[in-house]
Amino acid sequence: MKTKLFLALLAGVLLLGACKGSNYEAIRDDKAASNTDAALANADSTSAESTATKLVKTADMRFKVKNVRQTGDAIAALTAKMNGMVMHHQMQANIERSEDIRISKDSVNRVSAFSTTADMTVRVPSDKLEDYMTEVGHMGTYVTMRKMDIEDRTLDYLSEKLKLKNRQELVAQQKQGKVIIKNPVNVMLLKDDMVDQQIGGMRTDAEVKYSTVTLSFYQSNTIVQETIANDDPSAYQLPFFKRLTIAMNNGWSLFIELMLGVANIWVFIMLLVVLWMLYRYYRRKHPVWFASGIKS
């Protein structure tokens, strides 16, 4: 009788344990399901974010125009009209060749042939890029080169976002004390990386929103004539009689300077004269000695 009672109690305990285990498994399955749903929600949000493509457009055009200056003003006006911005504008004129034609003693007619070119870099909204390029192309006589490039930076943008998110979570855990970073320099480097990634994402957004266009245009060589002063010093000589008078005055000045120079060395001149006279005297007095000296 006691044995039967003990077996009945043991069976009841086992049945109760089995019920509790089933309830625990059900609760654990519910938690796992909720975690799976959260992971799926995060994956859906990530995939939704990745579907926003990041296309960066750039364009380049080279063309010939009738007037470089007027075309530059027209391009600037068109850029402002389309809510764009001129980032760079440079105009340059180079003299190809030049010739001076003398028309009088002190003036010449200079004829110059020079070429004029201009370079512009503008940023326009990406959705208006095609229309902008078409209108700019109509400003030229003909287009020598036109191209457009599209770079897909979607994956790079998504990579930067995910890395930034991971760093933000790490910084948050560090502030809460869940993660301990002993070296403060590493914390600073981590925050600097976060700033760089944020700036990189903002730069990508700006490049996606506004496209960069490089324009280069030129015109035919231009001929310009201008009357200028003669820059040759030899053309500004005095008249003949004036130059003759100056030359005579210069001759008289040189003669005076020569006389003054002779006066400064008169002692040496007198010494030479005395020596020459002594030589002549001894030669007359002793002709035999001088004759024998010459023969020897």
Side-chain angles (χ1 to χ4, degrees), residues 73-86 122-125 127-128 131-132 135-136 139 210:
D73 295 340
I75 291 176
L78 177 62
T79 304
K81 179 181 178 181
M82 291 192 173
N83 297 325
M85 181 182 297
V86 177
V122 300
R123 300 191 68 184
V124 295
D127 55 349
K128 299 179 181 179
D131 296 337
Y132 182 83
E135 292 193 29
V136 171
M139 296 180 184
Y210 288 93

Side-chain angles (χ1 to χ4, degrees), residues 35-294:
N35 293 331
T36 303
D37 293 339
L40 291 175
N42 292 331
D44 292 339
S45 62
T46 303
S47 61
E49 186 178 3
S50 64
T51 55
T53 56
K54 302 294 181 179
L55 301 179
V56 178
K57 299 179 181 180
T58 57
D60 193 358
M61 181 184 292
R62 178 176 174 80
F63 53 100
K64 182 179 181 180
V65 298
K66 295 182 179 179
N67 190 294
V68 169
R69 181 179 299 177
Q70 295 178 0
T71 303
D73 295 340
I75 291 176
L78 177 62
T79 304
K81 179 181 178 181
M82 291 192 173
N83 297 325
M85 181 182 297
V86 177
M87 307 300 294
H88 172 74
H89 186 188
Q90 178 179 356
M91 187 177 68
Q92 184 174 356
N94 297 319
I95 297 177
E96 300 295 335
R97 54 188 177 276
S98 178
E99 183 177 354
D100 293 339
I101 302 173
R102 184 173 179 177
I103 58 178
S104 65
K105 179 181 177 180
D106 58 352
S107 61
V108 295
N109 185 25
R110 177 164 295 175
V111 182
S112 304
F114 62 92
S115 60
T116 306
T117 59
D119 297 322
M120 296 184 68
T121 302
V122 300
R123 300 191 68 184
V124 295
S126 298
D127 55 349
K128 299 179 181 179
L129 179 60
E130 290 292 341
D131 296 337
Y132 182 83
M133 295 291 288
T134 301
E135 292 193 29
V136 171
H138 291 162
M139 296 180 184
T141 305
Y142 56 85
V143 178
T144 58
M145 187 272 294
R146 174 177 175 175
K147 69 176 182 179
M148 183 179 69
D149 297 323
I150 300 177
E151 182 182 1
D152 190 354
R153 296 187 185 176
T154 304
L155 296 180
D156 296 336
Y157 185 83
L158 180 60
S159 176
E160 294 294 331
K161 287 293 184 181
L162 294 177
K163 291 178 181 179
L164 178 61
K165 182 179 179 182
N166 292 336
R167 284 165 171 76
Q168 289 175 344
E169 292 177 354
L170 181 60
V171 171
Q173 293 175 0
Q174 188 267 339
K175 290 181 179 179
Q176 295 174 2
K178 297 180 180 179
V179 176
I180 299 175
I181 301 177
K182 297 181 179 180
N183 191 355
V185 177
N186 294 333
V187 178
M188 184 63 64
L189 293 176
L190 180 62
K191 292 183 178 180
D192 290 342
D193 290 339
M194 293 173 59
V195 173
D196 293 338
Q197 289 169 356
Q198 288 178 343
I199 297 299
M202 296 171 63
R203 184 179 292 108
T204 301
D205 291 335
E207 292 177 352
V208 169
K209 187 176 180 180
Y210 288 93
S211 299
T212 302
V213 182
T214 303
L215 302 175
S216 177
F217 47 97
Y218 60 97
Q219 69 182 44
S220 300
N221 289 350
T222 306
I223 301 296
V224 174
Q225 300 185 42
E226 54 181 346
T227 302
I228 62 175
N230 191 357
D231 56 359
D232 185 6
S234 62
Y236 295 91
Q237 295 291 344
L238 295 174
F240 172 74
F241 292 103
K242 184 67 174 178
R243 294 167 61 187
L244 180 60
T245 303
I246 295 175
M248 294 178 66
N249 293 331
N250 290 336
W252 178 252
S253 298
L254 291 176
F255 176 74
I256 294 175
E257 293 295 332
L258 179 61
M259 295 300 294
L260 292 175
V262 172
N264 289 325
I265 61 173
W266 68 272
V267 176
F268 299 99
I269 296 175
M270 293 298 295
L271 181 60
L272 290 175
V273 171
V274 171
L275 292 175
W276 176 253
M277 292 176 66
L278 291 174
Y279 170 75
R280 296 293 299 272
Y281 174 75
Y282 280 105
R283 187 172 183 180
R284 288 196 305 266
K285 292 294 184 178
H286 306 283
V288 179
W289 182 79
F290 279 97
S292 61
I294 295 174

